[in-house]
Amino acid sequence: MDSALIRLAPSTKTVQCLAGDTVLAALEREGFALPNNCRAGACGECKTKLLAGEVDQGTVLDMALTTEERAEGYRLMCMAKPVTEVVEIEFGSLEAKPKLFPPRDRVLCVVTDAVQRTSTIREVRIRPVGEPLRFWPGQYLLVGDSQAGVSPRPYSIANAPRPDGEMSLLVALVPDGKTSGWLHAGLQVGDRITVGGPYGTFIGDPGTSTPVLCLAAGSGLAPILALTDAALRRGFDKPVTVLFSARSEADVFDQGLTSWWAAKHRRFTFLTTFTGLPAGAEASGSLVGRIPDVLPGLMPDLADHAVYIAGSPEFVDACSEAALGLGAEQGRLHVERYVAALTA
Ligand SMILES: Cc1cc2nc3c(=O)[nH]c(=O)nc-3n(C[C@H](O)[C@H](O)[C@H](O)COP(=O)(O)OP(=O)(O)OC[C@H]3O[C@@H](n4cnc5c(N)ncnc54)[C@H](O)[C@@H]3O)c2cc1C
Ligand code: FES
């Protein structure tokens, strides 16, 4: 089959599907975000209802697409290739905007692991006992224990969706912080907790065909890791640069993961700039100084970049100003401000 047309319902928008392309790849090429995870017919994340036409489903696991689901018209778009000139699928809203997953309340999870990453950041890994939570990379959960007087607070999920549903949270300890204190000291591996989510719209745009620059400090790296994970997995072919701000070496974490990404994907670069090093440290080759100060020397022209920034409001505001000053377009600037809660 040469090429086909994918029609999206209810918007009636159309997307060209080139010969040999899967429906997922065609949608992403034109900027329509469809949830996905394994891209190999094994997880079921990209399940979508086919309303008209037919696709070659290829080889997929029964676990990911049951016989009943097939009979109801569902297909896995990561492996589906059109075999009719037009296929119509259920996709998004009337404006063809990707649908955010309805948040779930009180999702029971078990703490599967907890590791102190730096003196102030603890990684807490949780896994739902039931169905995995469906979320877009970059979104956050509300985590707390109201019954024990620990107010739910937002924490970004630090990974893209995984088949086993596990989610990593990177929690910075805030002095006198009730919820972060509980996540650091009160919560133990094996404990059961309930979370709510997913929430937020700090999500990647698969339609981006521009280089990507991500700026983060401290636990602001969490949603940036999730977005990067998802972009690299789907084979995003433009440069992705993450610039991380840390006081010293001791505040840098996840070097293993970011080094692996850099080795595997030539277009991925992870840079750290240190804000607490003694004068003269530049000589050793490391970047030194706040992001707004080092950025102009590193990337003087951001006119063609999509920019993602996450961290404290002060950090996000200073970096946004710097990025806009270097020509970044407001429409391609995405921010996640970790504003402190006003309520106890
Ligand atoms: C969308 C979103 C995503 C977030 N994601 C993450 C994440 O992935 N990881 C993470 O660690 N945090 C994240 N946060 C921040 C987090 O939700 C809490 O605000 C933070 O953990 C403090 O909560 P707490 O209950 O411990 O402190 P509180 O009991 O709420 O505050 C204690 C005291 O500390 C002050 N305070 C609160 N936060 C800070 C701060 N950041 N720096 C300095 N002083 C502060 C308060 O004003 C108060 O005086 C996110 C926030 C938002 C809005
Ligand atoms: S089945 Fe996993 S992404 Fe399609």
Side-chain angles (χ1 to χ4, degrees), residues 24 34-47 57 60-61 64-65 75-79 163:
L24 174 63
L34 188 74
N36 66 86
N37 181 349
C38 69
R39 304 178 79 87
C43 73
E45 189 71 19
C46 63
K47 203 173 297 167
Q57 180 58 97
V60 303
L61 295 187
L65 183 69
R75 300 288 184 271
L76 300 181
M77 295 301 142
C78 67
M79 299 292 284

mmCIF file of all heavy atoms in Angstrom, residues 24 34-47 57 60-61 64-65 75-79 163, ligand 2:
data_model
loop_
_atom_site.group_PDB
_atom_site.id
_atom_site.type_symbol
_atom_site.label_atom_id
_atom_site.label_comp_id
_atom_site.label_asym_id
_atom_site.label_seq_id
_atom_site.Cartn_x
_atom_site.Cartn_y
_atom_site.Cartn_z
ATOM 1 N N LEU A 24 0.802 5.072 14.645
ATOM 2 C CA LEU A 24 1.420 5.878 15.704
ATOM 3 C C LEU A 24 2.488 6.809 15.131
ATOM 4 O O LEU A 24 2.519 8.008 15.424
ATOM 5 C CB LEU A 24 2.038 4.959 16.776
ATOM 6 C CG LEU A 24 2.851 5.657 17.865
ATOM 7 C CD1 LEU A 24 1.975 6.602 18.689
ATOM 8 C CD2 LEU A 24 3.531 4.645 18.787
ATOM 9 N N LEU A 34 -0.238 10.430 20.914
ATOM 10 C CA LEU A 34 -0.986 9.245 21.325
ATOM 11 C C LEU A 34 -0.154 8.555 22.406
ATOM 12 O O LEU A 34 1.042 8.350 22.208
ATOM 13 C CB LEU A 34 -1.156 8.310 20.112
ATOM 14 C CG LEU A 34 -2.079 7.120 20.313
ATOM 15 C CD1 LEU A 34 -3.542 7.584 20.325
ATOM 16 C CD2 LEU A 34 -1.899 6.105 19.183
ATOM 17 N N PRO A 35 -0.776 8.204 23.521
ATOM 18 C CA PRO A 35 0.003 7.550 24.568
ATOM 19 C C PRO A 35 0.650 6.277 24.035
ATOM 20 O O PRO A 35 0.037 5.559 23.234
ATOM 21 C CB PRO A 35 -1.028 7.208 25.642
ATOM 22 C CG PRO A 35 -2.295 7.817 25.230
ATOM 23 C CD PRO A 35 -2.194 8.294 23.829
ATOM 24 N N ASN A 36 1.848 6.017 24.452
ATOM 25 C CA ASN A 36 2.516 4.781 24.033
ATOM 26 C C ASN A 36 3.620 4.493 25.007
ATOM 27 O O ASN A 36 4.028 5.367 25.760
ATOM 28 C CB ASN A 36 3.066 4.920 22.607
ATOM 29 C CG ASN A 36 4.164 5.933 22.522
ATOM 30 O OD1 ASN A 36 5.323 5.645 22.753
ATOM 31 N ND2 ASN A 36 3.794 7.187 22.219
ATOM 32 N N ASN A 37 4.106 3.274 24.983
ATOM 33 C CA ASN A 37 5.155 2.927 25.926
ATOM 34 C C ASN A 37 6.177 2.014 25.261
ATOM 35 O O ASN A 37 7.276 2.420 24.936
ATOM 36 C CB ASN A 37 4.508 2.282 27.161
ATOM 37 C CG ASN A 37 5.512 1.902 28.201
ATOM 38 O OD1 ASN A 37 6.703 1.924 27.966
ATOM 39 N ND2 ASN A 37 5.045 1.558 29.376
ATOM 40 N N CYS A 38 5.782 0.759 24.956
ATOM 41 C CA CYS A 38 6.781 -0.188 24.444
ATOM 42 C C CYS A 38 7.021 -0.022 22.946
ATOM 43 O O CYS A 38 8.057 -0.398 22.431
ATOM 44 C CB CYS A 38 6.324 -1.611 24.731
ATOM 45 S SG CYS A 38 4.877 -2.074 23.748
ATOM 46 N N ARG A 39 6.077 0.508 22.226
ATOM 47 C CA ARG A 39 6.126 0.657 20.768
ATOM 48 C C ARG A 39 6.374 -0.674 20.073
ATOM 49 O O ARG A 39 6.950 -0.747 18.998
ATOM 50 C CB ARG A 39 7.200 1.679 20.348
ATOM 51 C CG ARG A 39 7.025 3.036 21.002
ATOM 52 C CD ARG A 39 8.108 4.006 20.618
ATOM 53 N NE ARG A 39 7.898 4.583 19.312
ATOM 54 C CZ ARG A 39 7.180 5.671 19.058
ATOM 55 N NH1 ARG A 39 6.610 6.322 20.040
ATOM 56 N NH2 ARG A 39 7.028 6.112 17.824
ATOM 57 N N ALA A 40 5.957 -1.737 20.703
ATOM 58 C CA ALA A 40 6.222 -3.062 20.155
ATOM 59 C C ALA A 40 5.062 -4.028 20.376
ATOM 60 O O ALA A 40 5.254 -5.240 20.358
ATOM 61 C CB ALA A 40 7.494 -3.625 20.782
ATOM 62 N N GLY A 41 3.872 -3.524 20.626
ATOM 63 C CA GLY A 41 2.711 -4.395 20.759
ATOM 64 C C GLY A 41 2.695 -5.237 22.013
ATOM 65 O O GLY A 41 2.072 -6.300 22.044
ATOM 66 N N ALA A 42 3.356 -4.742 23.073
ATOM 67 C CA ALA A 42 3.444 -5.570 24.269
ATOM 68 C C ALA A 42 2.756 -4.974 25.491
ATOM 69 O O ALA A 42 2.461 -5.693 26.441
ATOM 70 C CB ALA A 42 4.916 -5.837 24.599
ATOM 71 N N CYS A 43 2.498 -3.657 25.484
ATOM 72 C CA CYS A 43 1.991 -3.053 26.724
ATOM 73 C C CYS A 43 0.529 -2.635 26.648
ATOM 74 O O CYS A 43 -0.125 -2.480 27.679
ATOM 75 C CB CYS A 43 2.841 -1.848 27.117
ATOM 76 S SG CYS A 43 2.590 -0.405 26.062
ATOM 77 N N GLY A 44 0.013 -2.405 25.469
ATOM 78 C CA GLY A 44 -1.395 -2.018 25.341
ATOM 79 C C GLY A 44 -1.652 -0.531 25.495
ATOM 80 O O GLY A 44 -2.793 -0.070 25.380
ATOM 81 N N GLU A 45 -0.621 0.235 25.760
ATOM 82 C CA GLU A 45 -0.795 1.663 26.054
ATOM 83 C C GLU A 45 -1.387 2.440 24.866
ATOM 84 O O GLU A 45 -2.097 3.419 25.046
ATOM 85 C CB GLU A 45 0.583 2.233 26.446
ATOM 86 C CG GLU A 45 0.579 3.636 26.997
ATOM 87 C CD GLU A 45 -0.017 3.750 28.401
ATOM 88 O OE1 GLU A 45 -0.106 2.740 29.102
ATOM 89 O OE2 GLU A 45 -0.427 4.867 28.742
ATOM 90 N N CYS A 46 -1.091 2.016 23.642
ATOM 91 C CA CYS A 46 -1.516 2.784 22.457
ATOM 92 C C CYS A 46 -2.849 2.284 21.880
ATOM 93 O O CYS A 46 -3.179 2.593 20.733
ATOM 94 C CB CYS A 46 -0.436 2.679 21.387
ATOM 95 S SG CYS A 46 -0.232 0.986 20.835
ATOM 96 N N LYS A 47 -3.589 1.507 22.699
ATOM 97 C CA LYS A 47 -4.849 0.913 22.225
ATOM 98 C C LYS A 47 -5.834 2.001 21.789
ATOM 99 O O LYS A 47 -6.085 2.946 22.527
ATOM 100 C CB LYS A 47 -5.460 0.113 23.374
ATOM 101 C CG LYS A 47 -6.401 -0.956 22.973
ATOM 102 C CD LYS A 47 -6.782 -1.758 24.210
ATOM 103 C CE LYS A 47 -5.566 -2.448 24.827
ATOM 104 N NZ LYS A 47 -5.825 -2.962 26.162
ATOM 105 N N GLN A 57 -2.478 -5.557 11.788
ATOM 106 C CA GLN A 57 -2.094 -5.372 13.184
ATOM 107 C C GLN A 57 -0.678 -5.875 13.486
ATOM 108 O O GLN A 57 -0.073 -5.490 14.486
ATOM 109 C CB GLN A 57 -3.111 -6.055 14.104
ATOM 110 C CG GLN A 57 -2.829 -5.944 15.579
ATOM 111 C CD GLN A 57 -2.721 -4.519 16.103
ATOM 112 O OE1 GLN A 57 -3.647 -3.957 16.627
ATOM 113 N NE2 GLN A 57 -1.541 -3.891 15.954
ATOM 114 N N VAL A 60 1.291 -8.921 17.884
ATOM 115 C CA VAL A 60 1.206 -8.269 19.198
ATOM 116 C C VAL A 60 0.842 -9.313 20.251
ATOM 117 O O VAL A 60 0.333 -10.387 19.919
ATOM 118 C CB VAL A 60 0.158 -7.121 19.201
ATOM 119 C CG1 VAL A 60 0.468 -6.082 18.147
ATOM 120 C CG2 VAL A 60 -1.262 -7.661 18.994
ATOM 121 N N LEU A 61 1.103 -8.987 21.498
ATOM 122 C CA LEU A 61 0.804 -9.940 22.575
ATOM 123 C C LEU A 61 -0.690 -9.939 22.912
ATOM 124 O O LEU A 61 -1.314 -8.872 22.965
ATOM 125 C CB LEU A 61 1.580 -9.570 23.842
ATOM 126 C CG LEU A 61 3.100 -9.664 23.793
ATOM 127 C CD1 LEU A 61 3.695 -9.437 25.187
ATOM 128 C CD2 LEU A 61 3.535 -11.038 23.271
ATOM 129 N N ALA A 64 -1.698 -7.673 25.571
ATOM 130 C CA ALA A 64 -1.808 -6.239 25.260
ATOM 131 C C ALA A 64 -3.098 -5.926 24.507
ATOM 132 O O ALA A 64 -3.606 -4.804 24.570
ATOM 133 C CB ALA A 64 -0.596 -5.788 24.451
ATOM 134 N N LEU A 65 -3.624 -6.906 23.768
ATOM 135 C CA LEU A 65 -4.867 -6.701 23.003
ATOM 136 C C LEU A 65 -5.626 -8.026 23.019
ATOM 137 O O LEU A 65 -5.250 -8.986 22.327
ATOM 138 C CB LEU A 65 -4.539 -6.289 21.561
ATOM 139 C CG LEU A 65 -5.747 -5.976 20.666
ATOM 140 C CD1 LEU A 65 -6.429 -4.688 21.115
ATOM 141 C CD2 LEU A 65 -5.304 -5.814 19.199
ATOM 142 N N ARG A 75 -7.371 -1.588 18.267
ATOM 143 C CA ARG A 75 -6.108 -2.030 17.676
ATOM 144 C C ARG A 75 -4.964 -1.327 18.407
ATOM 145 O O ARG A 75 -5.171 -0.277 19.020
ATOM 146 C CB ARG A 75 -6.035 -1.667 16.182
ATOM 147 C CG ARG A 75 -7.142 -2.276 15.310
ATOM 148 C CD ARG A 75 -6.958 -3.786 15.106
ATOM 149 N NE ARG A 75 -7.963 -4.329 14.214
ATOM 150 C CZ ARG A 75 -9.160 -4.791 14.590
ATOM 151 N NH1 ARG A 75 -9.490 -4.777 15.869
ATOM 152 N NH2 ARG A 75 -10.007 -5.276 13.704
ATOM 153 N N LEU A 76 -3.752 -1.903 18.285
ATOM 154 C CA LEU A 76 -2.570 -1.270 18.880
ATOM 155 C C LEU A 76 -1.877 -0.454 17.791
ATOM 156 O O LEU A 76 -1.345 -1.016 16.826
ATOM 157 C CB LEU A 76 -1.634 -2.337 19.452
ATOM 158 C CG LEU A 76 -2.248 -3.202 20.547
ATOM 159 C CD1 LEU A 76 -1.235 -4.229 21.065
ATOM 160 C CD2 LEU A 76 -2.763 -2.343 21.705
ATOM 161 N N MET A 77 -1.909 0.866 17.952
ATOM 162 C CA MET A 77 -1.466 1.745 16.867
ATOM 163 C C MET A 77 0.050 1.728 16.647
ATOM 164 O O MET A 77 0.535 2.127 15.600
ATOM 165 C CB MET A 77 -1.945 3.180 17.128
ATOM 166 C CG MET A 77 -3.444 3.303 17.094
ATOM 167 S SD MET A 77 -4.086 2.778 15.486
ATOM 168 C CE MET A 77 -5.584 1.927 15.938
ATOM 169 N N CYS A 78 0.815 1.261 17.643
ATOM 170 C CA CYS A 78 2.276 1.240 17.471
ATOM 171 C C CYS A 78 2.688 0.179 16.453
ATOM 172 O O CYS A 78 3.802 0.209 15.932
ATOM 173 C CB CYS A 78 2.976 0.979 18.801
ATOM 174 S SG CYS A 78 2.691 -0.658 19.462
ATOM 175 N N MET A 79 1.778 -0.797 16.181
ATOM 176 C CA MET A 79 2.110 -1.869 15.245
ATOM 177 C C MET A 79 1.155 -1.895 14.049
ATOM 178 O O MET A 79 1.304 -2.727 13.167
ATOM 179 C CB MET A 79 2.031 -3.229 15.973
ATOM 180 C CG MET A 79 2.995 -3.390 17.135
ATOM 181 S SD MET A 79 4.694 -3.470 16.585
ATOM 182 C CE MET A 79 4.734 -5.146 15.959
ATOM 183 N N PRO A 163 5.533 -0.607 31.523
ATOM 184 C CA PRO A 163 4.526 -1.669 31.520
ATOM 185 C C PRO A 163 4.118 -2.120 32.922
ATOM 186 O O PRO A 163 2.967 -2.442 33.160
ATOM 187 C CB PRO A 163 5.214 -2.816 30.776
ATOM 188 C CG PRO A 163 6.269 -2.158 29.963
ATOM 189 C CD PRO A 163 6.698 -0.928 30.701
HETATM 190 S S1 FES B 2 1.459 -1.831 22.688
HETATM 191 FE FE1 FES B 2 2.952 -0.742 23.786
HETATM 192 S S2 FES B 2 2.986 1.138 22.750
HETATM 193 FE FE2 FES B 2 1.686 -0.039 21.570
#
